[in-house]
């Protein structure tokens, strides 16, 4: 067995689209531990990125910053937080979609300008970053990171003499792609969202403070009340005069990434008016309408498949039960096992619950399949545990294309759905049957909202995309 295959047994999340990033910001008109609030906000957004974390704080005179590799709990100590004093803060948790994993690429990024320091945290991906970067380098600018976010930070800093608000608008009108960003100057908190609203960003309020976050679950974590989502093509400025809005792009359509609802967002979030948990349960109900199967139990690949499995069980009347026990203490830094242990194929992350599956016809539901390697191991382990039949259902359409807007996706050649029919895939993963949710079924789960980015399913993107490339394409 190959080492990579074994690692997929250990952690099914390695066979998923990787989360993008999470951003959080606070502006307070009264004394408040804004760094501490940002820390807990980022803790609630940790699912969106686990490679690095950072917080920048403005106090009216300067902006201080601390960032480090790993989880928020690894990147910060209490002393680190205590040193960050001020009334404006922004924070970022990162999963790299462009640029490698090193502390220089951690965000927020801090830049100098004629108006003083500017810190920026960005979730998303720019498709024209290379072109702008080359132009800036031809003009003599020296870049300090290999991430596309520095392109925006540089454009804002260079245009700051025209005023920070104008500089932000000019910079984001020059770039193409997806972005939800928060910016801290010494006396302002600014949030911005791309003209298509691909990446989420919302506003909350707690006491005399305004909060901005990638997801509403982080507002709940700090006791903030949800106010509204930032609109596509909108810049929100918060300072001592309150909150105001600048619409920099007209005739916008909110095309939120469909995968926010399918997998990325925490189930307790509400994004652009849709409750994430409700959409996932509905996906299971739609799956039953499209793929009614006679079975003894409905189960899920934990944790992301659970809401859809609950929906399928409700709609079908087949009891929901646990097929896999998850070890919740396997961290990111799990020690690679020796060859001797690898050959025994120990299932460290998920293990089948034999008493629940032995002699049973099992419907196993997952939110998506990317490469398919983990799906095969899960089906195999259920059969070894005594399952009589294993039917694999997927609560989203077939992933056939990469994402260019802030998700680290494999090349198209690595996507099982891009290269094989459903019958071939069923045979490859060893399932008795394999069924996907249709595009119409997915849209039925999104009732109440119009417009989504579904490029990974049908190849039609809101923004023209580059030639397929790796996330390291900005590396020199």
């Amino acid at each position: 067995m190959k080492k990579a295959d074994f690692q997929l047994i250990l952690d099914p999340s390695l066979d998923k689209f990787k989360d993008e990033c999470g951003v959080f910001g606070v502006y307070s008109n009264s004394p408040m531990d804004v760094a501490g609030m940002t820390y807990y906000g980022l803790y609630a957004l940790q699912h969106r990125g686990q490679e690095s974390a950072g917080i920048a704080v403005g106090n009216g005179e300067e902006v201080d910053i601390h960032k480090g590799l790993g989880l928020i709990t690894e990147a910060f100590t209490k002393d680190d937080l205590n040193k960050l004093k001020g009334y404006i803060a922004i924070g970022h948790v990162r999963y790299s979609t462009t640029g490698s994993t090193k502390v220089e690429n951690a965000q927020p990024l801090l830049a100098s300008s004629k108006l003083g320091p500017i810190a920026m945290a960005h979730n998303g991906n720019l498709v024209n970053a290379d072109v702008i970067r080359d132009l800036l380098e031809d003009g003599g600018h020296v870049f300090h990171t290999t991430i596309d976010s520095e392109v925006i930070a540089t454009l804002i800093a260079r245009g700051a003499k025209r005023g920070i608000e104008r500089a932000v608008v000019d910079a984001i009108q020059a770039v193409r792609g997806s972005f939800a960003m928060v910016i801290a100057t010494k006396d302002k908190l600014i949030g911005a969202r791309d003209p298509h609203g691909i990446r989420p960003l919302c506003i909350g309020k707690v006491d005399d403070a305004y909060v901005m976050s990638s997801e509403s679950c982080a507002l709940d974590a700090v006791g903030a009340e949800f106010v509204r989502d930032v609109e596509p093509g909108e810049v929100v400025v918060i300072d001592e005069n309150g909150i105001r809005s600048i619409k920099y792009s007209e005739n916008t359509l909110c095309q939120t990434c469909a995968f926010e609802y399918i997998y990325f967002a925490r189930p307790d979030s509400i994004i652009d008016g849709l409750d994430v948990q409700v959409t996932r349960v509905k996906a299971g109900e739609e799956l039953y309408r499209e793929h009614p199967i006679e079975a003894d139990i409905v189960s899920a690949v934990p944790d992301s498949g659970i809401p859809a499995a609950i929906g399928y069980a409700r709609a079908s009347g087949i009891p929901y039960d646990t097929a896999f026990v998850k070890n919740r203490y396997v961290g990111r830094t799990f020690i690679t096992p020796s060859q001797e242990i690898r050959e025994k194929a120990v299932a460290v992350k998920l293990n089948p619950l034999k008493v629940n599956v032995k002699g049973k016809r099992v419907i196993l539901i997952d939110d998506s399949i990317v490469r398919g390697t983990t799906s095969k191991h899960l089906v195999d382990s259920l059969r070894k545990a005594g399952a009589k039949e294993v039917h694999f259902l997927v609560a989203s359409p077939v992933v056939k294309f990469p994402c260019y807007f802030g998700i680290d996706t494999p090349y198209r050649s690595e996507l099982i759905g891009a290269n094989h029919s459903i019958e071939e895939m069923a045979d490859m993963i060893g399932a008795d049957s394999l069924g996907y949710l249709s595009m119409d079924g997915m849209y039925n789960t999104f009732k109440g909202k119009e417009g989504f980015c579904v490029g990974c399913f049908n190849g039609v993107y809101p923004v023209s995309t580059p030639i397929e490339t790796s996330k390291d394409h900005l590396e020199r």
Side-chain angles (χ1 to χ4, degrees), residues 67-89:
K67 51 190 179 179
L69 295 177
L71 304 175
I72 183 80
T73 51
E74 297 168 325
F76 282 83
T77 65
K78 198 164 187 178
D79 287 343
D80 295 329
L81 284 174
N82 288 339
K83 290 173 187 171
L84 297 173
K85 300 293 184 186
Y87 60 93
I88 304 163

Side-chain angles (χ1 to χ4, degrees), residues 124-175:
N125 224 35
L126 308 180
V127 296
N128 65 338
D130 286 1
V131 175
I132 297 175
R133 186 183 180 112
D134 287 343
L135 289 171
L136 290 168
E137 286 182 331
D138 289 345
H141 183 78
V142 177
F143 282 85
H144 303 287
T145 75
T146 58
I147 56 175
D148 58 349
S149 307
E150 192 182 0
V151 169
I152 306 180
T154 302
L155 290 174
I156 293 171
R158 286 167 70 97
K161 61 188 176 191
R162 296 189 294 273
I164 186 63
E165 293 166 25
R166 175 69 185 276
V168 169
V169 170
D170 287 349
I172 59 183
Q173 286 181 323
V175 298

Side-chain angles (χ1 to χ4, degrees), residues 250-313:
E250 299 300 324
N251 302 317
T252 57
L253 172 65
C254 186
Q255 293 175 281
T256 320
C257 168
F259 251 90
E260 291 288 351
Y261 303 101
I262 292 165
Y263 175 64
F264 292 131
R266 247 175 56 168
D268 51 336
S269 288
I270 297 172
I271 294 178
D272 293 321
L274 287 185
D275 187 297
V276 174
Q277 173 74 2
V278 169
T279 63
R280 291 177 184 174
V281 173
K282 280 184 181 176
E285 295 170 352
E286 289 291 327
L287 265 179
Y288 175 67
R289 292 188 188 99
E290 294 182 359
H291 303 282
I293 296 170
E294 288 188 13
D296 300 305
I297 66 165
V298 178
S299 196
V301 179
D303 290 316
S304 55
I306 293 174
I310 290 171
Y312 192 99

Side-chain angles (χ1 to χ4, degrees), residues 145-216:
T145 75
T146 58
I147 56 175
D148 58 349
S149 307
E150 192 182 0
V151 169
I152 306 180
T154 302
L155 290 174
I156 293 171
R158 286 167 70 97
K161 61 188 176 191
R162 296 189 294 273
I164 186 63
E165 293 166 25
R166 175 69 185 276
V168 169
V169 170
D170 287 349
I172 59 183
Q173 286 181 323
V175 298
R176 287 190 300 108
S178 66
F179 53 83
M181 65 178 78
V182 287
I183 299 159
T185 68
K186 59 188 180 182
D187 58 3
K188 284 180 176 26
L189 172 65
I190 300 171
R193 201 169 172 197
D194 70 71
H196 301 281
I198 298 170
R199 295 285 150 238
L201 190 65
C202 63
I203 305 168
K205 197 167 192 306
V206 53
D207 300 329
D208 289 329
Y210 279 101
V211 178
M212 281 196 266
S213 172
S214 289
E215 290 183 39
S216 63

Side-chain angles (χ1 to χ4, degrees), residues 376-389:
K376 174 173 171 39
H377 291 310
L378 295 174
V379 172
D380 286 348
S381 65
L382 285 178
R383 293 204 189 280
K384 286 175 185 172
K388 189 161 58 173
E389 295 175 13

Side-chain angles (χ1 to χ4, degrees), residues 174-468:
V175 298
R176 287 190 300 108
S178 66
F179 53 83
M181 65 178 78
V182 287
I183 299 159
T185 68
K186 59 188 180 182
D187 58 3
K188 284 180 176 26
L189 172 65
I190 300 171
R193 201 169 172 197
D194 70 71
H196 301 281
I198 298 170
R199 295 285 150 238
L201 190 65
C202 63
I203 305 168
K205 197 167 192 306
V206 53
D207 300 329
D208 289 329
Y210 279 101
V211 178
M212 281 196 266
S213 172
S214 289
E215 290 183 39
S216 63
C217 66
L219 304 183
D220 299 333
V222 300
E225 183 181 347
F226 177 84
V227 175
R228 67 177 178 89
D229 291 292
V230 177
E231 294 178 12
E234 182 184 20
V235 172
V236 175
V237 181
I238 302 170
D239 58 19
E240 61 183 0
N241 300 313
I243 183 169
R244 62 188 182 281
S245 169
I246 302 166
K247 281 291 278 183
Y248 69 87
S249 182
E250 299 300 324
N251 302 317
T252 57
L253 172 65
C254 186
Q255 293 175 281
T256 320
C257 168
F259 251 90
E260 291 288 351
Y261 303 101
I262 292 165
Y263 175 64
F264 292 131
R266 247 175 56 168
D268 51 336
S269 288
I270 297 172
I271 294 178
D272 293 321
L274 287 185
D275 187 297
V276 174
Q277 173 74 2
V278 169
T279 63
R280 291 177 184 174
V281 173
K282 280 184 181 176
E285 295 170 352
E286 289 291 327
L287 265 179
Y288 175 67
R289 292 188 188 99
E290 294 182 359
H291 303 282
I293 296 170
E294 288 188 13
D296 300 305
I297 66 165
V298 178
S299 196
V301 179
D303 290 316
S304 55
I306 293 174
I310 290 171
Y312 192 99
R314 284 181 188 169
S316 66
I318 301 168
Y320 171 84
D321 211 339
T322 304
F324 287 98
V325 174
K326 184 177 182 181
N327 184 341
R328 302 183 188 281
Y329 299 95
V330 177
R332 298 169 309 105
T333 54
F334 190 79
I335 297 167
T336 304
S338 66
Q339 178 65 27
E340 180 186 1
I341 298 295
R342 272 203 302 274
E343 287 171 356
K344 296 186 184 300
V346 182
V348 174
K349 190 76 179 264
L350 292 180
N351 200 39
L353 194 55
K354 296 185 175 104
V355 68
N356 282 358
V357 301
K358 188 172 183 180
K360 303 274 183 68
R361 297 168 297 171
V362 180
I363 296 172
L364 186 63
I365 296 181
D366 204 355
D367 63 275
S368 59
I369 296 179
V370 177
R371 292 181 178 89
T373 25
T374 302
S375 308
K376 174 173 171 39
H377 291 310
L378 295 174
V379 172
D380 286 348
S381 65
L382 285 178
R383 293 204 189 280
K384 286 175 185 172
K388 189 161 58 173
E389 295 175 13
V390 180
H391 302 274
F392 204 108
L393 295 179
V394 185
S396 62
V398 182
V399 173
K400 295 182 178 179
F401 300 89
C403 171
Y404 300 96
F405 303 116
I407 302 171
D408 181 30
T409 55
Y411 292 106
R412 195 170 180 213
S413 60
E414 297 175 28
L415 297 171
I416 188 172
N419 301 286
H420 300 280
S421 68
I422 291 178
E423 292 75 18
E424 288 171 337
M425 287 189 279
D427 187 55
M428 291 168 73
I429 69 172
D432 290 281
S433 67
L434 172 65
Y436 281 84
L437 189 64
S438 68
M439 291 289 284
D440 286 342
M442 180 183 70
Y443 285 126
N444 286 341
T445 73
F446 295 157
K447 285 280 172 63
K449 179 186 180 315
E450 298 292 329
F452 298 90
C453 178
V454 292
C456 56
F457 303 127
N458 64 7
V460 180
Y461 302 93
V463 182
S464 59
T465 58
I467 298 170
E468 192 171 315

Side-chain angles (χ1 to χ4, degrees), residues 17 32 40 242 288 331:
F17 276 174
M32 181 181 284
Y40 287 107
Y288 175 67

